[in-house]
Amino acid sequence: MWRYIGRKLFVYLLTFVIAVTINWMIPRFMPGDPVRSMLARASVGNPEALERMTTYYNEVFGLDTPLYQQYLSFWGGLFRGDLGVSVMLYPEPVTDVIMRSVPYTLAVLLPAILLSWVVGNHFGAFAARSKILDNTILPLGYVLTATPYMWLALLLAWSLGVVAGVFPVSGGYSFSLRPEFTWLFISDLISHWFLPFLSMFVVALGGWAIGMRNMIIYELEADYSNYLQALGAPRRLVRKYAFRNAMLPQITGLAVQLGTIIAGSLLTEIVFNYPGLGTLIIQSLNSRDFFLLQGIFLFVVVGVLIANFIIDIVYVLVDPRTRVQMTGGSS
């Protein structure tokens, strides 16, 4: 088990280094100058003052050094927990800016992932044993899983927000309120959270339901299922074993789809102007804020790698065949 964890850690560490390097390179190959963009917003008209301020900010942000020195400085700051200073919100540290948006993103992402996975798997299992459910859930699941996150978010914002007026379609909470631990603020926060969550939940739900439905049918036609039925085992027991075996590919699918789900969450936040990392990415792109952009991508990369590592460990714990192979046995 420890050798398995060690190999996985090495693979994830190598992936982390490569991903962080690419993350550092992409903003620097983007067109535009972050310092010039910042000074343009400040409307500095004096050419001499503009030149002095450009030189000053280039030194502050370390943009006056060769690229290899910027790369080494980035890794040095990363080990110290320093991601630099935001160009858009100078002189605020990048870490502080990101930490204000992270709770909003996690509040949408985690419930949507976990609930859609649990509910989708159970719906798919029920659909596999009922022709009526199968004829309704299967087509609906195909439609949902093929629906882009952004398109469904726009549809929900228009139908439930603009037309029905049931939910707000922008922001994390009303501008007339201030953050405080009161029922008025919490209820307003939930009303702004619901549509981004619902769009994420509904799209992911269809994919998990289809996957579980197909896997249940495959497991019920497997040799061990036929053997148990020939022995007179109750149908409920056979379905229980089929469901447990069908869950294993769904756990693997969760790890595979995690990056796509997170990307969908960022797009959903942009549609609803939700104050999470997705909206922050758009703002940093418009401001050419290299440091904030690479800080956000770094957080996303680390989150995906940690989640995949946890799923790998969970898979070993729930699948006895992997533990048998670790000890040199045969599954």
Side-chain angles (χ1 to χ4, degrees), residues 178-231:
R178 63 177 183 178
E180 54 187 358
F181 195 71
T182 62
W183 172 245
L184 177 62
F185 177 76
I186 293 175
S187 60
D188 185 75
L189 200 67
I190 294 174
S191 67
H192 283 78
W193 163 86
F194 183 74
L195 285 184
F197 159 77
L198 183 63
S199 61
M200 290 287 302
F201 172 79
V202 169
V203 174
L205 178 69
W208 299 128
I210 291 174
M212 176 54 74
R213 176 259 181 195
N214 294 337
M215 288 306 304
I216 286 288
I217 292 176
Y218 173 81
E219 294 295 335
L220 289 176
E221 295 176 353
D223 291 340
Y224 75 89
S225 296
N226 294 327
Y227 181 69
L228 286 175
Q229 294 179 42
L231 292 177

Side-chain angles (χ1 to χ4, degrees), residues 53-324:
M53 293 179 69
T54 301
T55 303
Y56 169 75
Y57 284 120
N58 280 328
E59 292 177 357
V60 169
F61 295 118
L63 299 175
D64 59 335
T65 59
L67 283 177
Y68 77 91
Q69 290 186 9
Q70 295 182 35
Y71 179 70
L72 295 177
S73 298
F74 170 73
W75 275 105
L78 184 61
F79 286 126
R80 297 192 305 270
D82 179 16
L83 299 179
V85 178
S86 171
V87 174
M88 179 177 66
L89 299 172
Y90 181 83
E92 193 168 359
V94 167
T95 305
D96 293 348
V97 178
I98 294 176
M99 286 298 109
R100 286 202 301 267
S101 299
V102 165
Y104 289 98
T105 296
L106 293 181
V108 172
L109 195 60
L110 292 181
I113 291 175
L114 296 178
L115 286 177
S116 64
W117 190 77
V118 173
V119 176
N121 284 327
H122 283 82
F123 262 102
F126 283 124
R129 68 180 69 170
S130 171
K131 182 173 290 186
I132 296 177
L133 287 175
D134 193 24
N135 292 334
T136 55
I137 289 180
L138 185 61
L140 181 61
Y142 280 123
V143 171
L144 292 178
T145 194
T147 302
Y149 289 98
M150 181 176 288
W151 184 85
L152 183 61
L154 289 170
L155 182 61
L156 290 175
W158 174 79
S159 59
L160 297 179
V162 177
V163 177
V166 179
F167 297 100
V169 296
S170 179
Y173 54 88
S174 299
F175 293 116
S176 59
L177 300 178
R178 63 177 183 178
E180 54 187 358
F181 195 71
T182 62
W183 172 245
L184 177 62
F185 177 76
I186 293 175
S187 60
D188 185 75
L189 200 67
I190 294 174
S191 67
H192 283 78
W193 163 86
F194 183 74
L195 285 184
F197 159 77
L198 183 63
S199 61
M200 290 287 302
F201 172 79
V202 169
V203 174
L205 178 69
W208 299 128
I210 291 174
M212 176 54 74
R213 176 259 181 195
N214 294 337
M215 288 306 304
I216 286 288
I217 292 176
Y218 173 81
E219 294 295 335
L220 289 176
E221 295 176 353
D223 291 340
Y224 75 89
S225 296
N226 294 327
Y227 181 69
L228 286 175
Q229 294 179 42
L231 292 177
R235 185 68 175 171
R236 184 177 179 181
L237 179 62
V238 177
R239 287 173 175 170
K240 180 180 178 181
Y241 279 110
F243 181 78
R244 290 176 58 183
N245 289 332
M247 284 295 294
L248 299 178
Q250 293 294 84
I251 295 175
T252 304
L254 181 60
V256 172
Q257 293 294 324
L258 203 56
T260 304
I261 295 173
I262 291 177
S265 172
L266 300 181
L267 293 174
T268 301
E269 290 177 3
I270 294 171
V271 171
F272 291 102
N273 196 28
Y274 199 67
L277 295 180
T279 304
L280 201 58
I281 288 175
I282 291 295
Q283 295 173 351
S284 59
L285 282 171
N286 293 333
S287 304
R288 301 295 189 272
D289 193 339
F290 292 172
F291 306 98
L292 182 56
L293 194 62
Q294 69 188 17
I296 297 170
F297 288 155
L298 177 65
F299 179 85
V300 173
V301 166
V302 171
V304 171
L305 291 178
I306 291 176
N308 274 271
F309 179 73
I310 293 174
I311 292 173
D312 281 340
I313 301 301
V314 170
Y315 192 88
V316 173
L317 297 177
V318 299
D319 188 357
R321 293 172 298 183
T322 57
R323 298 196 295 272
V324 170

